[in-house]
């Protein structure tokens, strides 16, 4: 096995590739980084990311080559180069190292590295901020134009814009969004400059400011990518484009919007292979999950998700459709837009400009012999009535509605003109959700909170049974524990990494059907019935996840109604 290495590598590099443990120099071994240790084959293992990044070593192997062959150079001293490899028996990767050793006149030493750690350290390559800084510095060096957005003479900046690597700048912005798993990119004109903001884990933050003319060129380039009219700046436009990311694809849904100071562009980032279509990973726990899954077994009716834009409603519906997605079922969706493509499901994009709306599309769907239908959103009376009709004629229908809570969907549908007795017969489950940020597991720590705030938390959970709390792996008889993220490199100092949903799910049982028929608009009565039913509110679901160590009280307060700050501010925790 090791003879192949000797055939591939140059003579001067062979001794750096040990064939067994006898080749390891114990004296040199003691000098190695504390994060390294020998494995059974005689190769030292890299077990964690070294503190200092050797940029010169990193640049010896391009990012594309590193990703393709699963190897990365992490330290160079003199002519000695340390390289981490996922598979030291990969002949093609060894050929790359042979060429590197010969062309750069270096002696290479291999370290074993896990696939997971390799994916983490591949981010060592130049970040978007660094690349943007380099581009902006080149602008400043050539023209003296600062990136503060100060206005200059037109003729002074024309030369820069014409020769500027605008495509590269757009590529850097996109790469940063994908790498940081941003959900949206905002490029907006503000005071003779363009601000670029990224929404990461639900929070929008400014990351860079571009000179006014450079910002305009960036907007134009994005419009070209999206096949939009470059010269149309008076009215909004919508488009999309796609990029390849290794073996996956990332879609960008583009929206332009005229504002007083120019034209704003928002890009929605839709990574197809990273869509989380799993109820457990989304945060559905206990009774909430049980009701949703149980209602999937019904042959007809409406399952309705409620919440504001960006609260994850569509993702939850996709998760439910994924469970139902089997060969014997005909599943058809009407969406605006189609955010994720799911194999086996017939997904259709509505186009209001040509008269193809949710209502007209729903009429056509009913002639396609569907078993299951998803209507992206109930926006008007016609769509509401057609959705109800579809449910009552033997179809299981999923849809969304903009309300503050689950119970609020009932009076909202009444306002849209749906008769209460029809609603009572068609509704199967109503659910509301919000997204909260998860505590970064790398810097998570236990904290103390004011006693009065702790009492407030306990009061919120008074009507939550011990059995329900146990489903969250929370023991209500014990003193509650609270956590936060201290802030580290992994989470960019925010203390949060990733998001999870908090839910409230209302099951429409016989008692509820009667109440809806008789008092469909009385939310007070509906809330009393929901309480007797054992429904957890979103706040209660969120607090249980706080006690489980998944998120913080400040996140729950940020997305739910009411205050938990008695005895001290949540933000001070």
């Amino acid at each position: 096995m090791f003879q192949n290495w000797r055939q591939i590598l140059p003579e001067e590099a062979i001794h750096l590739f040990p064939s067994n443990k006898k080749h390891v120099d114990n004296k040199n071994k003691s000098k190695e980084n504390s994060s390294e240790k020998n494995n059974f084959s005689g190769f030292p293992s890299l077990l964690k990311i070294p503190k200092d990044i050797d940029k010169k070593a990193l640049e010896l192997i391009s990012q594309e080559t590193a990703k393709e062959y699963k190897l990365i150079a992490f330290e160079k001293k003199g002519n000695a180069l340390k390289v981490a490899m996922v598979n030291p028996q990969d002949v093609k990767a060894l050929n790359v190292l042979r060429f590197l050793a010969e062309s750069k006149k270096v002696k290479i030493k291999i370290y074993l590295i896990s696939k997971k750690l390799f994916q983490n350290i591949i981010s060592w390559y130049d970040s978007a901020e660094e690349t943007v800084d380099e581009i902006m510095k080149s602008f400043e060096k050539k023209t003296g134009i600062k990136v503060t957005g100060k206005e200059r003479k037109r003729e002074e900046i024309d030369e820069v814009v014409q020769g500027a690597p605008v495509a590269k700048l757009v590529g850097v912005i996109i790469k940063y969004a994908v790498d940081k798993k941003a959900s949206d990119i905002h490029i907006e004109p503000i005071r003779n400059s363009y601000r670029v903001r990224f929404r990461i884990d639900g929070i929008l933050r400014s990351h860079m400011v571009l000179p006014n003319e450079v910002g305009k060129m960036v907007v134009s380039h994005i419009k070209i990518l999206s096949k939009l009219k470059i010269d149309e700046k008076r009215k909004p436009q919508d488009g999309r484009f796609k990029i390849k990311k290794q073996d996956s694809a990332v879609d960008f849904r583009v929206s332009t919007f005229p504002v007083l100071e120019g034209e704003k562009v928002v890009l929605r980032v839709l990574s197809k292979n990273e869509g989380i279509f799993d109820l457990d990973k989304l945060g559905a726990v206990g009774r909430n999950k049980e009701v949703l899954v149980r209602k999937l077994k019904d042959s007809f009716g409406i399952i309705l998700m409620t919440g504001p834009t960006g609260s994850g409603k569509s993702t939850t519906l996709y998760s439910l459709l994924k469970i139902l997605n089997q060969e014997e079922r005909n599943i058809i969706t009407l969406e605006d837009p189609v955010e994720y493509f799911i194999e086996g499901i017939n997904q259709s994009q509505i186009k209001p400009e040509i008269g193809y709306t949710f209502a007209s599309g729903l009429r056509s769907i009913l002639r396609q012999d569907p078993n299951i239908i998803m209507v992206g959103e109930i926006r008007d009376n016609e769509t509401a009535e057609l959705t109800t009709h579809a449910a009552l004629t033997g179809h299981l229908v999923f849809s969304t509605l903009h309300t503050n809570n689950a119970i609020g969907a009932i009076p909202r549908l009444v306002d849209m003109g749906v008769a209460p007795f029809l609603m009572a017969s068609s509704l199967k489950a109503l659910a509301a959700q919000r997204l909260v940020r998860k505590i970064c597991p790398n810097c998570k720590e236990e904290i103390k909170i004011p006693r009065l705030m702790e009492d407030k938390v306990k009061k919120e959970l008074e009507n939550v049974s011990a059995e329900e709390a146990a489903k969250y792996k929370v023991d209500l008889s014990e003193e509650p524990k609270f956590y936060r993220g201290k802030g580290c490199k992994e989470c960019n100092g925010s203390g949060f990494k990733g998001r999870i949903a908090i839910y409230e799910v209302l099951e429409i049982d016989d008692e509820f059907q009667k109440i809806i028929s008789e008092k469909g608009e009385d939310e007070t009565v509906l809330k009393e019935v929901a309480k007797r039913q054992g429904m957890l509110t979103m706040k209660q679901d969120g607090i249980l996840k706080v006690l489980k160590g998944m998120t913080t009280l400040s996140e729950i307060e940020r997305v739910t109604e009411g205050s938990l700050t008695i005895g001290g501010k949540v933000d001070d925790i």
Side-chain angles (χ1 to χ4, degrees):
M1 177 174 65
F2 299 112
Q3 290 177 354
N4 290 334
W5 298 347
R6 295 175 180 272
Q7 293 167 4
I8 291 169
L9 294 172
E11 202 59 43
E12 62 270 21
I14 289 176
H15 72 282
L16 291 176
F17 292 77
S19 58
N20 55 52
K21 292 185 179 180
K22 293 180 181 179
H23 286 80
V24 180
D25 187 337
N26 291 327
K27 186 182 290 184
N28 291 335
K29 177 182 171 184
S30 63
K31 297 179 182 179
E32 299 293 347
N33 188 296
S34 61
S35 67
E36 305 156 2
K37 72 176 184 179
N38 289 335
N39 80 333
F40 68 93
S41 66
F43 287 92
S45 295
L46 195 66
L47 301 179
K48 63 182 180 180
I49 299 177
K51 293 180 180 178
D52 299 320
I53 300 172
D54 190 338
K55 290 286 185 181
K56 291 183 179 179
L58 201 64
E59 291 170 359
L60 290 176
I61 301 174
S62 71
Q63 186 174 6
E64 292 73 19
T65 301
K67 287 181 177 179
E68 183 174 355
Y69 297 103
K70 300 294 186 294
L71 51 82
I72 190 167
F74 63 92
E75 184 180 310
K76 186 177 185 295
K77 291 183 178 179
N79 69 337
L81 180 67
K82 293 182 179 180
V83 178
M85 296 181 69
V86 172
N87 180 15
Q89 299 180 38
D90 185 341
V91 174
K92 291 182 179 179
L94 290 172
N95 272 324
V96 171
L97 294 185
R98 174 188 174 184
F99 176 79
L100 181 65
E102 290 177 343
S103 61
K104 301 296 182 181
K105 307 298 181 185
V106 293
K107 295 182 179 180
I108 298 172
K109 185 169 184 178
I110 289 179
Y111 288 77
L112 291 175
I113 187 171
S114 68
K115 290 182 180 179
K116 185 177 181 181
L117 185 58
F118 176 80
Q119 291 301 325
N120 289 335
I121 66 173
I122 200 71
S123 61
W124 286 1
Y125 285 92
D126 287 344
S127 65
E129 304 102 311
E130 292 170 337
T131 308
V132 169
D133 286 343
E134 289 175 8
I135 293 173
M136 292 295 100
K137 284 176 183 176
S138 71
F139 290 162
E140 293 178 14
K141 187 176 181 180
K142 290 179 181 178
T143 65
I145 298 172
K146 300 294 183 182
V147 297
T148 56
K150 183 180 179 182
E151 192 65 49
R152 298 298 181 98
K153 293 179 181 179
R154 177 77 192 194
E155 59 271 16
E156 187 180 19
I157 201 168
D158 270 349
E159 183 182 349
V160 182
V161 176
Q162 290 171 7
V166 175
K168 181 178 179 183
L169 180 54
V170 172
V172 164
I173 292 170
I174 287 172
K175 180 180 183 300
Y176 183 87
V178 173
D179 289 347
K180 297 297 181 181
K181 297 185 177 179
S183 61
D184 301 271
I185 307 169
H186 292 241
I187 303 172
E188 49 205 348
I190 293 180
R191 296 179 184 176
N192 297 321
S193 64
Y194 271 76
R195 177 176 63 178
V196 181
R197 295 191 290 171
F198 299 88
R199 189 179 295 280
I200 301 173
D201 291 337
I203 304 298
L204 199 58
R205 288 195 173 93
S206 179
H207 280 255
M208 62 189 81
V209 177
L210 307 176
N212 193 34
E213 295 300 323
V214 175
K216 288 179 181 178
M217 291 296 288
V218 166
V219 169
S220 294
H221 188 77
I222 290 172
K223 290 171 78 172
I224 291 171
L225 290 174
S226 311
K227 298 180 180 179
L228 301 178
K229 296 179 181 178
I230 302 176
D231 57 345
E232 180 56 80
K233 300 178 181 179
R234 298 170 299 171
K235 64 181 183 181
Q237 296 185 76
D238 294 305
R240 64 194 307 159
F241 65 92
K242 182 191 300 183
I243 65 168
K244 294 287 185 180
K245 180 192 174 188
Q246 294 180 328
D247 57 346
S248 65
V250 182
D251 267 0
F252 291 86
R253 193 179 79 209
V254 180
S255 172
T256 68
F257 189 76
V259 294
L260 286 177
E261 296 177 308
E263 194 172 18
K264 176 178 178 177
V265 176
V266 175
L267 295 84
R268 184 75 184 272
V269 186
L270 304 170
S271 184
K272 295 180 183 179
N273 287 1
E274 293 179 6
I276 303 174
F277 305 135
D278 184 286
L279 288 176
D280 292 322
K281 292 180 180 178
L282 286 173
V285 186
R287 178 186 175 279
N288 290 334
K289 179 184 176 182
E290 291 166 3
V291 171
L292 287 174
V293 174
R294 183 164 62 247
K295 292 303 175 180
L296 294 182
K297 298 176 182 178
D298 289 347
S299 58
F300 72 94
I302 302 173
I303 296 176
L304 203 58
M305 294 296 306
T306 71
T309 301
S311 59
K313 302 185 297 296
S314 296
T315 305
T316 298
L317 290 184
Y318 279 131
S319 301
L320 298 176
L321 290 179
K322 183 181 176 183
I323 296 172
L324 296 169
N325 187 13
Q326 297 177 16
E327 187 177 353
E328 64 269 18
R329 295 190 178 103
N330 179 20
I331 304 175
I332 305 179
T333 74
L334 279 175
E335 304 175 58
D336 183 25
V338 176
E339 295 191 358
Y340 297 100
F341 296 95
I342 305 177
E343 186 176 351
I345 293 179
N346 304 288
Q347 297 172 268
S348 183
Q349 166 79 54
I350 72 163
K351 296 178 181 178
E353 64 272 15
I354 61 172
Y356 182 39
T357 63
F358 282 123
S360 62
L362 194 48
R363 288 192 186 92
S364 299
I365 280 180
L366 294 175
R367 294 191 288 270
Q368 288 285 317
D369 186 32
N371 300 108
I372 298 163
I373 300 169
M374 186 179 96
V375 180
E377 184 183 342
I378 297 176
R379 296 177 178 174
D380 51 47
N381 170 267
E382 188 178 10
T383 306
E385 288 184 349
L386 286 169
T387 300
T388 304
H389 173 72
L392 292 173
T393 52
H395 304 92
L396 186 59
V397 183
F398 297 85
S399 192
T400 69
L401 194 64
H402 288 278
T403 61
N404 290 327
N405 52 41
I407 291 173
I410 296 172
R412 178 78 177 108
L413 289 172
V414 172
D415 288 342
M416 284 185 170
V418 180
F421 73 92
L422 292 177
M423 194 190 314
S425 302
S426 60
L427 287 177
K428 296 297 180 181
L430 298 172
Q433 72 176 84
R434 300 289 189 276
L435 292 177
V436 295
R437 292 179 291 172
K438 293 193 296 183
I439 297 173
C440 174
N442 192 57
C443 59
K444 180 179 175 181
E445 64 177 7
E446 187 177 346
I447 58 169
K448 295 290 184 182
I449 67 170
R451 186 67 188 180
L452 289 176
M453 194 188 301
E454 187 177 318
D455 291 342
K456 180 73 172 177
V457 168
K458 290 179 179 178
K459 188 174 181 180
E460 286 286 343
L461 300 178
E462 278 181 348
N463 65 334
V464 177
S465 68
E467 291 77 17
E468 183 64 23
K471 296 173 184 177
Y472 289 75
K473 298 182 180 178
V474 171
D475 189 345
L476 295 178
S477 65
E478 297 179 353
E479 279 299 305
K481 293 182 179 180
F482 301 88
Y483 302 87
R484 72 169 180 185
K486 187 166 56 177
C488 65
K489 184 179 178 181
E490 290 289 320
C491 60
N492 294 320
S494 68
F496 297 97
K497 191 171 184 181
R499 287 191 290 176
I500 196 169
I502 58 173
Y503 292 93
E504 62 181 33
V505 180
L506 181 64
E507 183 175 13
I508 308 300
D509 54 14
D510 293 340
E511 183 181 8
F512 244 112
Q513 287 180 347
K514 184 178 179 181
I515 294 296
I516 292 172
S517 297
E518 297 174 354
K519 301 177 181 180
E521 294 182 88
D522 193 335
E523 285 196 49
T524 303
V525 176
L526 294 172
K527 285 179 180 178
E528 285 298 320
V529 178
K531 189 175 180 180
R532 290 200 299 271
Q533 190 187 87
M535 183 192 83
L536 292 182
T537 65
M538 277 186 289
K539 185 184 290 185
Q540 290 172 328
D541 180 53
I543 291 174
L544 287 171
K545 286 168 181 171
V546 168
L547 300 182
K548 193 178 178 181
M550 301 175 75
T551 187
T552 66
L553 283 175
S554 60
E555 279 296 288
I556 302 306
E557 178 162 7
R558 182 174 65 86
V559 301
T560 61
E561 299 175 2
S563 175
L564 294 167
T565 58
I566 296 176
K569 291 184 178 180
V570 174
D571 288 339
D572 293 336
I573 294 176

